[in-house]
Structure formats: structure tokens, C-alpha cells
Amino acid sequence: MNIIERIGLSRFARAGRKGPAARLAAVAVLSLVSMAASFADEKGGTIVRRIDELERSSASRSVMEMTVNPSDGGSSRTFSVISFEKDGPAELSHIEFAAPRSVKGLRILTKGKDSWAFFPSTGRVRKIAGSSRSGSVQGVGGDFSYDDLGGGSWADDYDFNLLSETSDAWFLEGTRKSADSAYDSVKLTVDKKLELPLLASFAKAKEGGYYKELSFSNHRDFGGRIRAGEMLMKNTKKGSSTLVLLEEAAFDVALEDRLFDPSRFDK
Amino acid sequence: MKLRETLETTGRMIARYPVFVLAVSAVLTALGIFGASRLGMETDLAKLLPGDNPAAQSYTAINDAFKTSSVLVAVVEGMNRESTIKAAETFSERLKSDPRTASLVKSTRLSVNKEFVDRWGLMLVDEDDLPDNERILRSARLVPLLTAVNDVMEEKLSDGDDEEVEGPEGEDDATAMMTRFALFARDLRSAIEGPADPVSTQKAAEVLADDFLVGDRYLFDPEGKNLLMTISPTFDIGDRESLLALLGGARDIADGIEGASFAFSGDVASEASEQEAINADVFYPSIISLVILLVLFFFSFHNLRAIMFATIALVAGIVLDLGFAAVAVGELNMITSSFGALLVGLGIDFGIHIAIRYEMIRKSNSSPEDAMAETFGVIVLPVAIGAVTTSIAFYSLCFSQTVGFRQFGLIAGTGILTTLGAAMTILPALLVVFPGRQTAEGGNGGLFAKRRVLGYRGVSRAAAFSARHRGAVLAVASAVTVCAAFFIPKNRFEYDMRKMGPQGTEAQKTDELIGELFGLSTWQALATAPDLESARELGERMKDAPFIRRVESLADYVPSRTEQESRLAIIERIGANDRLSDPFEWDGAAVAILANEVRRLEMNVIELGDLAAASLGEDSMPVRSRTAMIREIFGAERGKSGEEVYTRLADAIEAGDAGAMARRLSAIDDDFSAELDRRVSSMTAGGKHLTEGDLPRDILDDFRSSSGDRYLIVAQPSRGLSGDDAIARFSDGLVAVDRTATGTLLLGVELSREVLAESRTFAIVVGILILITLFISFRSAGSVLICVVPFFMSIVWTFGIYPFFGRFGIVNALSLPLILGVGIDYAVHFLSAIKDASPSGCGRIDLDSALSRTGKAVALSCLTTTIGFGSLAFAGRFRGIADLGMTLLIGITCCFVAAVFVLPAIESLVREKGSRGGNKSAAEDIKEAI
């Protein structure tokens, strides 16, 4: 233990910032997020529009479990969350932790760039300022960064090309459109039959190329829609991984307004 | 034929001049004992690696430059925090003053150096955090101070910054912060409830100011029960005498301190455990195997004197080898320490073969000289072939790049020859000098004359059975081989040196305890830099390496010039604040405000704990600290109460008459604010830059070499570092950052890789050497094939079975060349016996009869060898050595089974096919081969 750690009068500050909870919300959204993408070529565009169409929902409710396997060999931690999503001009998401016991009842409301956290342990609601979406979600979201799949559209961030195809899949590569894009390039493998992504790989020059892989598997019917039951994000450089299991999902459901009201979402 | 005559003559000469032989042997043995008494022990991994290995060179250089890179870690647990601190301080003082340990202790690190922190505390705060300090320290009064702390905390909780409670640094920071405020709350309540006289109030105020500014000066676990302290020795870890003296002295001193328990870990304690285990692994398995062998011989030989003489010859052979080892290498190490038990198992075989054959020949009433000549003529050649192949297997290791392997090859190879030499000289001489009274069975009569002696006929019968049912036997053997081959890829190599040493030691248990309590590993990775700025830069890069929890160097204590300039500007502003300018009016309302701020602080700490639970896990240190200092919290539910430091403080503030409390708090606040102001003024005074010269001596000595030209960087891995892949990634990650990064774990990985690569190479070399030896011995490709096929099967079985019993590591990687060298002997003996047998006219051989003598000798040989290895497997405390024993136990057993069942089946098949070929009879083939 060095002296700095003992003395840093305000270093607690690091512990209390928005990141973890808000980013978990982004991860929770993962399974529901629209995989819309814009493709540089017409065929790619058609594919992405179809994916977009299949994934779009006016309102949804889902239950998922996330297991974070840290790269330092520490013990895994698993969370269960209930997620509510509503389509609209601004991102509307409400996440409630169901497990583990220590964080049960913790809720995160996100409206566009603003977030609020409700701590059941103290009964307080705290407004969380807008955050950078490019940071890592290593703390809570494991290997998912906020921008990985955090509600944005592939098409907004990347120009896609159809690289090749087989009888079963399309292989696409997207390059960043703007400085705001989280990655320099992204590769997608899309199942032709399901018309859903099976694998997404993410690259950054400063990370030495492709370093993260998100695989989608165990596709099954959730409320009349096919979704991946398992999503595994691996950081091949660090050796960590995060598994998200979608347990329940319902789409185009009626959701109470209070869920997205900062003054009532904790009730 | 000339060779046989020479051997017969040798046997006859020994039988004719036995006293002379024994006299010469006694002199040589005495010399061996003299040499053996000077044999030392070496557990330094760096000395087992090739001299040009960067990690080994770096390790040695660090030990030279810093006197030692080692540390003794003590975990202290008393009745409560105060008694624990007192016990640890007493221990530290006694350690430095006790004549047994004073000269062995360079420094002890128990708490943060007070003078240094009081002067430079603010300079060591991150520049990003200093503005918050500036805000908080605008007033030194209790209420404004706590209000400012809460404001800053809540802002930080809501600022949307990217930083989280994540990673080791975040975990440590959050825990340290929680501890600091918990101590402050606890001590404020003590001040309120304690004596109100001015002296006590002033003393309480000093403690409160210290709590607020510095927090916990000691390294306690999050529950505040166990304290960690480190002791740097003055000696290199290779200094065994000092090592054991320091640990022994520390244990004695700890035992003399009442009311607290001490547990020790770190390199010093681990090395001491290894030392004890090595001594035990040389001694106990050898004794155990010797005792079991004596029992085995008791029921295997008519002539008990022969057993005793074979054992005497064996001991003399081993002593000679020990003497040789003392001269040749000087020290035993983790790899070479197992040779004693191996030689007991391997070397006794030579005596068994000679004693059994001599006993049988003597039954025919031959004279001792004739019997010995015939014994030498018949049995010494195959025995010598076996010994030479084994010896070659060992000696081939002398070409290794790895020092440990070279030494093992040299000692063990020579040991085979010295035990063979002793069996060929001392044993025959003793048998002749002390013939005893011969019974009809060849025994000596006497007390044990009527015991039942085992004939081991089952071996020859099994071989005969296999020859008769060769089709079925070969089919089963082939099926087993295919099945075993399936499991060969499941073999794993252990890179983690922590798992190679003795298991279940105090040091290991303490290491696990430290991992659980503090999230730390006592195993360190080390690197050096030529100057402070290079150390800073290297330390930062090492933090990004996989599995690193903490990196420490002198740079942590001396910020860079640029950092200091920026910090000084803020520190100057903090110093300029008049923290006492606003007199705070203490009345009933102020008391209520303070109680509210305390409750607000509790809520902030609870929310911080919630985020830590979400990002670091429920068992993370901030959550454990929250549970201990406040209570268990499960969302909206309250679990078991902890210390409830904030609630109890708030309750204490609100208890009784508000006016009286206001007066009491006013007195405390006056002293506290004055003390805090004094301390902050001290930290902000002068506007001086912090230099290496300002550092406490112990910190400087720990991280800068005495010559001042090397700066040490120490990296501690996370406690989750385990498993092959993780260890390899940890090592590779650090080496990628700095090629000369070193430390026990890194050296272990380096050594493992060297050993793994070399054991593969040497297995091939030994295999080729064995083939050549076999061909020279039998001069028949067919015979070589008959030996090699079952032998190959047994190797496949061995490596197919072993994954169910353990892993390979730097020690038992030796096993393949050894199994090749030892296991082939059985096939050689069996085939030689079959070839010696006279075939019937139709080419048939009565295997039961042909192998009756060799079967017993080979079975006994196998039993003795497996007993030798088995004693290592089951009695060896050193995991690596026990694994070696298990590998060889399985390997030798498989070789024996293959020789008994598969070889006769193949031999009979080949012989029958040869017979059908009609060119030459199998008998002619065999005769030619012989």
C-alpha cells in the first residue's frame, strides 16, 4: 500500500461516478438494440434494413443475466437485470437490478444523454450528468463499452461493405464514419436464414487491430421474435469475457409512463 | 565370448581377494562420506537457468544491488485494532533489537512514515484530486469540513465521469477512503464520549486530524482485524543459515507477544519451507523406501545376508555418488534433491540380480569362486547393459542448457555407475567373506529359516500365458494403447512455481490468507531502471501488464518535476486559505447539523459501496469494509449490523442535552481545527520540491540501490493469478514491457519453458541412444523391434494414464528420458532370458521355465524401483518431486506390464513366423543374435 493511496483525500471520487450503473444499462440494452446499419453497397443496405426491421420495437421488456469474467483471474460476478425500453426521439431505458442481493433494487433511468440512479439502500435518487460514450464498461458491463451496442445505429457510425458471402452467411466490414465512432472498423457475420448477426469483431489501431469479439448464439423465439439467447463478448487482448443471457423478452408491450419519469421511476 | 570370460575372471578375482576389495571400498566410502558432509542446498531458481537468461541475470543483479529482493511478510491479529497495532509495533522493535535477528533485518514496514507524510502528504496527492482537497480544506471546522466532504462526494457520484470503482486501484482507493471516514467517525465518538479534560481533548483532536488527513497509517484488512507488515532482510535468499535464523527468531519473538497471533509468508518463509521440504524429501522417502525394500527382500530371498549385503553395497554406492556430487556441483537443488530415492530404487536392482543368481548357483554346491565367476558371466552383462542405458539417459542431460538438468544428469548418471560398481565389487566380496551357513534352499538357516520365500513364478507364467494367447493379448494391448493415446493430449504442464514446492506449509496458508484478506499476492515481479524517471515510465507501463494489481517504485514517492510544479500551485492556494477565519458558533442547531452531516456521510458511503458491489463484486474490499464499519446491505434490506460507526456517532451527538453537547463539540472542534490547520500548514509550507533526499531511509533503501544507480520497480500480481495460461500471460506481459523483468514466478515460467523444450529433445536423444545400445547388444533388428514395440506401448500407456494423476512440471519433465532408460531394461532382461533358453526341435521355448529366474529378478527390480519412486510420490512434500515419483511409478509399472505380457506375445509371434519361413530356425536366429 503506497502512501498516495492512503493520502488521496478526494480519490474516493473515482469510486462514485456515473459510469458503472449507467453503462450496465447500455449493456442491458444490448439484446434489444437495433442492429441497424448502413452499407456502402446496395446489397449490404438491404441486409441491414432487414435486420433493422426485425429488431425494431416500440416498447420492450426483458430479463437478462450478465456474467463478467475479469481478466485478472478474479472471481466472476453475475447480475440479473430487468430492462424496459421505449422507442422515441430520445433513448428511453429503465434498468432494475434483480440480483445479486447487494445491489437488488438499484435502478437506472436513461433519457437521451441524461441518467438518474436510484439507490434502494439509501432511498435516494441521484441525477447523473451526461457521460462520454466512448469509455470502457469494464467495471460493471464487463467487456462491453458503452458505444459497443449502446443504442446507436451501425449506420450512423460506420460505412459497411459486403466482403463476401456463403450459402449461410454474409460477411460485412464497416469503417468509421466520424471521430465519435468507438472503433476504427467493425466486422459482422450475418446469418442469412435468421437475418441476424452471429459475430461482431471490433478493431482499434491503438489496440493493435481487432481485439474484441461479440458472438450471438442460442437464437430462439422471444415473444414471437427471434433473438440471440446468448451474447458473449471476448476481449482477446486482455483475456476477459462477458456473457449475457437473455432469459425473457417481450416486444411492443405497454409500459407505464412512470418507468421513464425521473420523479417517479424509483417508486 | 571374450567379454564373458573377462567378466568371469573379474568375478573369480573378487571372490579370491574379497578382503582387499572391501578395504579399498571402505576407503572410497569414507572419502564419499567426507565429501557428502560438505554438500549444500540451493533453491535459487535463477541459478538453475542458463547463464545468459535475461530474467536470471536480472534476478541476480537485483539481489546484488539491493542485498536482497526478498521479504518476510507477517500477518498480525490481536483482540482489537489497538492491541493488534501494539503487538505489531512490539514485534517490529524486538526484531530490530533481538541479538538473534537484529543483524538480519534491514528494515520493517509497519506504517506510513509520520514525519514524511506530515511534510509531503499533499504533494503526493494526484493533481486531479488536489482541487477537491482545496475545496474541502477551506475551513478546518468540523461542520463546514464534513459538509464540504459530502458535497464533493455527491458531486463525484453524479458527475458522469468515465472513471468507475473498477480495477485494483479503484478498489484500493475506495477502501482506503471508507476506512478513513470510518476511523474519523469512530474517533469522533470516542472524543465525545471520552474524558473532557483539555489534555484528553487535545489528544483526541490530534487523532481526528490524523484520521481526516491521512486515514489508516497501517495496512489493515477491510474488516480492520488483521494487520500486514513486511520485513526486509539484510541477506540474500540463498543464505540458508540466515534465512532459517530470521524466521526462527521471528517466530520466537512472535510467540513471546501475548494477545496476538502472527503468521508468516513471503519469500523468506516460503524458502524456509522449501528448505525443510528438500531436506525431508532427501531423507524420509529414502528411509521409507529402504524399509519397504527390506521387508520385500525378507520375503523374496532365502539368504537374508545377501539382502543385507546388497543394501550395504547400495548405500556405499550412494555415498560415493554424494561425495562426487559435493565435488562436482557443490549443492543440491529442487531437481537434484530427488536423486537419493531414485538411486535406492534403481541401484538396488543390480544387487538383486547378482544376489539371486549367486544364490541359485551356490545351491549346486559350486565353490564361491566358481559360483561368482558364473554369476558374473551370466548376469553382469545384461545388468551392465541396463545400467549403461540408464546412465546414458541421465548423462544425456549433461548437454542441457538448464543448469539444474545438467547437474541432475551428472549426479544421477554417476550414481547409477557407482551403485553398479558397488554391486559388482562390495556385494560379491561380502557374499564370499560372509557365506553363512547354507541350507538346502540356499538360505542361512537361523531364526527366519522357516519363513516362506516368494518365487514370483506368476511373472513367468504370465509371460508364458501371453505367448500362448498372443493374438488376444496383442489385441487387448493395442486397444489399450489406442485408448491411452486418446488421453495423451490431456497432459498439462505446470508453469506455476507456487505449485511445484511444498504444499500446505505455513507460508502457503498465510499467502492464501493474505490473498483473501487483502486481495494481494506476496509473490513479486521485479524490474530495475537506471534513474527515477525511467523507473516512473517503466512502472506506468507495468501497470498495464496482465494480472498486475499494484506497482510500486520510488516514483510513487517523488512526483515528476512537472507534476510537482502543478501541484505546488494548488498547494500554495490551499496554504493561503485562512481555515480558521470563520469562527463556528456551536449551539443546538449546529449539533443537529453535524448529526445530519454524519448521516449524510453514511449514505454517501453506502452508495459508494453499492457501486463497488456492482462493479467489483459483492466480496470486493469496499463492500467488505462497508459491511464491517456500517452493516450488511442488500438493496433496501438491512442485514446484520456491523460497527455502525456513523449511526452510533450521530446517536451520540444527538444524545442528551444539546447545549452540553454543543459545548463539548466546541471544545473538540477548537482543538481539532487548530491541529488540522497546523498539519495542513506544515504540508503547504515552503513551496519546496520533493526530492529523493527527502525520503525516509527505509523507503530509499527498498527502492534505490546503495550505489544509487539502480531503481527497483516491484509489481504485485492480483490474487486471481492462477492456472497455466494466466501465469504465462502474466510473465509474457511483463517481459513484453521489460525484457529483464524477473521474480520467482517469471523465473519459474522461464525455467519451465526451458525444461519442457529440453525434455522433448532429450527424450528423442535418449531414445536414439537406447536403440543404438540395443542394436549393439543384440545385433539384430528383429530383437530390437521385439524390445521396442512393447516399450513404445508402455510409454503411450504412461502418458495416457498420467493426466488422471497430475501435471508435468520442471521436475517430472525428467521422467520421459528416465522411463526410457529404466523401462527398456525389463525388455532387455526378458529377451536375453528367452534367447538364453534352449528351444525345442520345433522352435518352441518353455517360457515359464526360461523366465523363472529372470522373472523373479525383473519383478523384484520393478518392485524396488516402484517402491523408490512410490516413496517420492506419496511421501515427498515437494509437489514437483512427488509428481516425479508418480510419473515414474506409472511409467515403470507400465514398462513392466508391457515386458511381461506384450514382449513374450510379440517374441513368440516373430519366432513362429521365422519358423514358418523355413530359412532358418528361430533357435538359429536367436543363437546368432546371442
Side-chain angles (χ1 to χ4, degrees):
Chain A
M1 175 76 62
N2 68 45
I3 292 176
I4 294 173
E5 286 161 2
R6 293 181 176 283
I7 297 175
L9 198 60
S10 62
R11 293 190 74 173
F12 62 81
R14 294 189 172 189
R17 295 175 179 172
K18 177 205 169 185
R23 287 170 187 157
L24 182 65
V27 174
V29 171
L30 167 68
S31 63
L32 304 174
V33 75
S34 172
M35 293 292 289
S38 81
F39 294 83
D41 59 343
E42 196 176 331
K43 189 166 185 181
T46 308
I47 294 164
V48 154
R49 279 193 296 277
R50 178 62 184 149
I51 293 171
D52 218 6
E53 207 177 292
L54 285 171
E55 302 245 353
R56 188 168 294 130
S57 167
S58 61
S60 63
R61 177 188 180 280
S62 60
V63 178
M64 63 194 78
E65 185 182 279
M66 181 171 68
T67 302
V68 181
N69 302 303
S71 61
D72 66 358
S75 50
S76 309
R77 51 184 190 277
T78 301
F79 307 97
S80 288
V81 295
I82 304 166
S83 167
F84 304 93
E85 286 283 315
K86 208 169 184 179
D87 207 5
E91 176 193 345
L92 285 174
S93 125
H94 174 127
I95 302 292
E96 181 175 347
F97 285 75
R101 280 180 77 192
S102 56
V103 291
K104 188 179 176 185
L106 183 68
R107 294 175 200 185
I108 310 293
L109 170 63
T110 305
K111 291 182 82 167
K113 293 285 183 184
D114 293 326
S115 294
W116 292 262
F118 167 67
F119 294 89
S121 53
T122 59
R124 297 198 297 189
V125 173
R126 190 171 301 288
K127 173 130 183 350
I128 298 169
S131 68
S132 160
R133 297 169 64 86
S134 60
S136 160
V137 196
Q138 180 68 25
V140 175
D143 298 283
F144 291 96
S145 73
Y146 198 82
D147 241 12
D148 275 343
L149 297 159
S153 149
W154 289 114
D156 291 345
D157 293 334
Y158 305 97
D159 284 324
F160 277 94
N161 285 312
L162 178 61
L163 294 178
S164 62
E165 64 179 293
T166 64
S167 56
D168 299 323
W170 290 294
F171 300 94
L172 312 159
E173 182 168 36
T175 50
R176 68 188 308 159
K177 271 184 172 177
S178 69
D180 290 338
S181 306
Y183 302 99
D184 294 334
S185 57
V186 179
K187 281 183 182 172
L188 288 178
T189 302
V190 180
D191 187 288
K192 282 186 172 177
K193 193 175 169 189
L194 295 171
E195 294 175 304
L196 289 171
L198 296 176
L199 183 70
S201 303
F202 306 95
K204 271 185 186 177
K206 72 172 186 178
E207 297 286 350
Y210 283 93
Y211 71 106
K212 290 209 301 192
E213 281 183 4
L214 174 61
S215 58
F216 302 83
S217 61
N218 195 16
H219 289 83
R220 58 184 196 274
D221 190 301
F222 289 95
R225 297 185 181 210
I226 301 298
R227 290 288 183 275
E230 290 184 19
M231 285 150 281
L232 178 65
M233 178 69 98
K234 282 184 184 172
N235 186 317
T236 51
K237 193 178 173 191
K238 283 184 180 175
S240 56
S241 67
T242 302
L243 176 67
V244 173
L245 300 176
L246 184 59
E247 293 174 345
E248 295 172 25
F251 302 95
D252 298 323
V253 292
L255 297 175
E256 294 176 74
D257 287 342
R258 70 158 187 89
L259 290 171
F260 305 100
D261 183 343
S263 62
R264 294 189 295 152
F265 83 104
D266 56 311
K267 303 288 188 282
Chain B
M1 293 303 286
K2 279 183 180 176
L3 181 60
R4 179 167 182 148
E5 282 169 10
T6 306
L7 289 169
E8 283 176 355
T9 306
T10 305
R12 196 180 299 281
M13 294 301 287
I14 290 170
R16 189 173 296 166
Y17 304 107
V19 176
F20 174 75
V21 170
L22 289 175
V24 172
S25 301
V27 171
L28 288 173
T29 306
L31 286 172
I33 291 170
F34 176 74
S37 66
R38 292 167 180 274
L39 198 56
M41 288 288 179
E42 176 61 71
T43 57
D44 188 346
L45 282 179
K47 293 183 179 166
L48 301 180
L49 278 162
D52 59 353
N53 183 283
Q57 286 177 335
S58 174
Y59 192 78
T60 306
I62 288 171
N63 275 319
D64 291 343
F66 293 86
K67 288 187 183 173
T68 182
S69 60
S70 305
V71 69
L72 176 65
V73 180
V75 179
V76 191
E77 184 179 13
M79 302 292 287
N80 51 43
R81 179 182 167 83
E82 288 69 30
S83 72
T84 303
I85 290 171
K86 192 179 173 192
E89 284 176 342
T90 306
F91 176 73
S92 175
E93 284 162 16
R94 289 188 189 170
L95 210 55
K96 286 188 268 190
S97 59
D98 191 296
R100 290 170 298 177
T101 54
S103 63
L104 304 173
V105 174
K106 184 167 80 172
S107 64
T108 60
R109 291 181 73 185
L110 171 61
S111 63
V112 175
N113 184 290
K114 189 173 186 313
E115 290 74 27
F116 177 66
V117 172
D118 283 354
R119 174 63 188 88
W120 299 106
L122 281 173
M123 180 61 90
L124 296 176
V125 176
D126 277 355
E127 189 186 333
D128 292 345
D129 298 329
L130 271 176
D132 295 330
N133 286 264
E134 187 187 354
R135 272 183 67 190
I136 290 168
L137 293 172
R138 278 189 186 136
S139 172
R141 300 284 183 181
L142 269 175
V143 170
L145 201 65
L146 272 188
T147 305
V149 165
N150 281 321
D151 289 346
V152 169
M153 258 186 114
E154 285 168 8
E155 278 179 30
K156 296 298 177 185
L157 281 163
S158 309
D159 72 355
D161 196 288
D162 283 350
E163 294 177 354
E164 308 102 348
V165 184
E166 78 165 64
E169 202 171 328
E171 187 172 10
D172 288 343
D173 289 350
T175 310
M177 186 276 293
M178 285 177 158
T179 305
R180 188 165 77 247
F181 290 133
L183 284 177
F184 182 80
R186 185 194 286 163
D187 290 330
L188 181 54
R189 185 170 61 84
S190 297
I192 290 169
E193 294 175 343
D197 62 276
V199 175
S200 300
T201 304
Q202 174 60 32
K203 199 173 174 189
E206 288 171 14
V207 172
L208 280 173
D210 202 53
D211 289 343
F212 194 86
L213 283 175
V214 181
D216 199 347
R217 289 179 178 275
Y218 301 88
L219 181 50
F220 271 92
D221 62 12
E223 286 77 17
K225 289 182 177 171
N226 294 273
L227 185 153
L228 195 78
M229 63 183 291
T230 58
I231 299 112
S232 294
T234 53
F235 52 86
D236 180 86
I237 202 75
D239 182 349
R240 303 289 140 194
E241 204 174 314
S242 300
L243 183 84
L244 295 172
L246 175 58
L247 187 62
R251 281 176 178 154
D252 287 346
I253 291 169
D255 289 344
I257 297 172
E258 288 183 4
S261 63
F262 289 74
F264 298 100
S265 183
D267 304 24
V268 172
S270 298
E271 292 288 331
S273 301
E274 284 194 7
Q275 181 70 33
E276 288 163 4
I278 282 187
N279 291 339
D281 279 8
V282 169
F283 183 70
Y284 293 113
S286 302
I287 294 296
I288 290 169
S289 60
L290 206 55
V291 169
I292 298 173
L293 287 176
L294 289 173
V295 172
L296 178 71
F297 293 165
F298 183 82
F299 292 106
S300 303
F301 288 92
H302 292 289
N303 190 343
L304 288 176
R305 283 168 187 260
I307 304 167
M308 193 170 69
F309 297 155
T311 308
I312 291 170
L314 173 66
V315 171
I318 293 175
V319 167
L320 276 173
D321 192 36
L322 279 169
F324 169 78
V327 173
V329 299
E331 289 176 322
L332 295 182
N333 56 51
M334 185 189 296
I335 297 173
T336 54
S337 63
S338 60
F339 87 98
L342 295 182
L343 286 184
V344 170
L346 297 172
I348 195 69
D349 294 357
F350 312 139
I352 291 171
H353 285 290
I354 292 169
I356 286 179
R357 192 54 66 108
Y358 180 74
E359 191 177 83
M360 287 176 171
I361 295 169
R362 280 283 282 149
K363 274 195 227 173
S364 60
N365 291 323
S366 304
S367 69
E369 280 187 32
D370 289 344
M372 196 55 73
E374 190 178 342
T375 301
F376 267 60
V378 171
I379 199 65
V380 166
L381 183 58
V383 166
I385 290 174
V388 169
T389 51
T390 308
S391 186
I392 287 171
F394 284 126
Y395 276 135
S396 67
L397 296 173
C398 293
F399 297 100
S400 167
Q401 292 291 311
T402 310
V403 179
F405 263 35
R406 284 207 300 270
Q407 292 179 351
F408 183 86
L410 188 64
I411 296 170
T414 305
I416 293 295
L417 297 182
T418 56
T419 49
L420 174 68
M424 287 174 59
T425 53
I426 298 172
L427 172 61
L430 287 169
L431 287 170
V432 172
V433 173
F434 305 102
R437 194 181 59 207
Q438 292 293 310
T439 63
E441 292 79 24
N444 307 109
L447 186 61
F448 305 115
K450 292 188 184 300
R451 74 188 187 283
R452 181 183 169 141
V453 174
L454 301 172
Y456 296 89
R457 289 303 298 272
V459 175
S460 56
R461 286 173 189 153
F465 172 88
S466 297
R468 283 197 303 275
H469 303 89
R470 54 181 170 265
V473 168
L474 289 176
V476 170
S478 302
V480 170
T481 306
V482 170
C483 286
F486 178 76
F487 291 104
I488 289 177
K490 295 193 180 297
N491 280 292
R492 290 285 177 270
F493 199 87
E494 184 63 78
Y495 290 99
D496 190 346
M497 293 310 295
R498 297 171 295 186
K499 293 181 180 166
M500 299 302 295
Q503 302 297 301
T505 61
E506 182 203 351
Q508 270 192 334
K509 287 174 186 165
T510 308
D511 208 30
E512 285 165 18
L513 183 72
I514 291 169
E516 276 175 32
L517 296 177
F518 300 92
L520 289 171
S521 168
T522 60
W523 295 74
Q524 300 174 331
L526 309 167
T528 56
D531 55 60
L532 184 62
E533 290 313 309
S534 303
R536 188 186 318 282
E537 190 262 336
L538 183 54
E540 285 302 316
R541 285 195 288 129
M542 285 172 79
K543 282 180 186 170
D544 293 332
F547 295 99
I548 294 295
R549 179 174 178 88
R550 176 174 296 152
V551 177
E552 193 175 1
S553 75
L554 218 54
D556 291 321
Y557 301 93
V558 184
S560 69
R561 189 81 187 174
T562 316
E563 287 171 331
Q564 291 202 39
E565 294 290 348
S566 308
R567 291 178 194 186
L568 273 174
I570 305 170
I571 289 170
E572 198 177 327
R573 291 204 300 270
I574 294 173
N577 281 339
D578 185 354
R579 288 169 290 278
L580 301 173
S581 61
D582 297 328
F584 190 82
E585 292 298 324
W586 279 99
D587 52 19
V591 170
I593 291 170
L594 180 65
N596 280 340
E597 288 302 327
V598 169
R599 291 205 160 90
R600 189 177 158 210
L601 182 60
E602 182 186 68
M603 285 198 273
N604 286 331
V605 171
I606 287 173
E607 288 173 8
L608 184 61
D610 282 344
L611 292 176
S615 63
L616 295 167
E618 290 184 287
D619 299 326
S620 63
M621 291 204 289
V623 179
R624 283 168 52 200
S625 179
R626 183 180 72 173
T627 301
M629 300 303 171
I630 303 175
R631 70 189 80 93
E632 280 185 326
I633 291 166
F634 305 112
E637 295 173 31
R638 294 164 72 106
K640 277 189 279 186
S641 284
E643 219 179 308
E644 299 281 9
V645 289
Y646 301 105
T647 302
R648 291 173 73 187
L649 171 60
D651 289 348
I653 292 169
E654 290 172 334
D657 176 61
M661 180 55 64
R663 286 191 294 279
R664 178 69 191 127
L665 283 170
S666 176
I668 294 170
D669 197 17
D670 283 347
D671 286 355
F672 167 73
S673 54
E675 179 64 18
L676 190 71
D677 182 63
R678 187 188 68 75
R679 297 278 297 273
V680 173
S681 298
S682 165
M683 288 182 188
T684 55
K688 261 185 71 183
H689 286 86
L690 170 57
T691 66
E692 291 176 45
D694 296 312
L695 295 176
R697 193 73 236 169
D698 59 339
I699 293 177
L700 208 53
D701 286 349
D702 280 351
F703 294 104
R704 195 181 71 181
S705 64
S706 51
S707 57
D709 60 351
R710 302 304 299 169
Y711 288 76
L712 187 66
I713 301 114
V714 179
Q716 286 175 313
S718 62
R719 71 176 174 126
L721 178 63
S722 65
D724 298 344
D725 292 343
I727 296 278
R729 281 187 56 225
F730 168 73
S731 174
D732 292 344
L734 280 171
V735 171
V737 171
D738 179 24
R739 211 174 132 262
T740 62
T742 188
T744 309
L745 286 176
L746 273 74
L747 289 173
V749 172
E750 292 282 316
L751 186 59
S752 297
R753 285 178 172 156
E754 288 273 348
V755 164
L756 185 59
E758 292 199 341
S759 59
R760 285 174 178 153
T761 306
F762 284 112
I764 295 168
V765 171
V766 169
I768 293 167
L769 286 172
I770 286 172
L771 284 176
I772 293 168
T773 310
L774 285 175
F775 193 78
I776 291 170
S777 304
F778 289 115
R779 293 173 199 166
S780 156
S783 297
V784 171
L785 204 63
I786 291 169
C787 283
V788 166
V789 171
F791 184 52
F792 171 76
M793 285 184 169
S794 64
I795 298 299
V796 174
W797 300 348
T798 302
F799 285 88
I801 291 170
Y802 188 65
F804 296 99
F805 291 89
R807 291 176 159 217
F808 284 93
I810 60 164
V811 183
N812 66 345
L814 294 162
S815 61
L816 183 55
L818 286 185
I819 293 168
L820 291 173
V822 175
I824 195 71
D825 291 359
Y826 303 144
V828 169
H829 283 299
F830 269 56
L831 191 61
S832 295
I834 294 170
K835 286 175 181 294
D836 273 344
S838 301
S840 65
C842 60
R844 288 186 183 280
I845 292 175
D846 179 4
L847 283 180
D848 188 7
S849 170
L851 294 176
S852 62
R853 292 172 179 178
T854 303
K856 178 173 181 174
V858 169
L860 271 171
S861 171
C862 174
L863 278 171
T864 54
T865 309
T866 51
I867 287 166
F869 295 143
S871 70
L872 285 178
F874 297 110
R877 290 179 57 199
F878 228 97
R879 171 69 66 82
I881 292 174
D883 284 345
L884 173 67
M886 181 56 78
T887 317
L888 292 170
L889 177 65
I890 294 169
I892 296 303
T893 306
C894 288
C895 288
F896 177 74
V897 170
V900 170
F901 291 97
V902 183
L903 185 140
I906 294 174
E907 192 278 337
S908 66
L909 187 70
V910 171
R911 184 155 30 88
E912 192 166 289
K913 281 195 173 175
S915 178
R916 282 181 194 156
N919 295 331
K920 278 191 288 187
S921 72
E924 285 170 325
D925 260 347
I926 291 163
K927 290 292 181 193
E928 267 183 28
I930 292 170

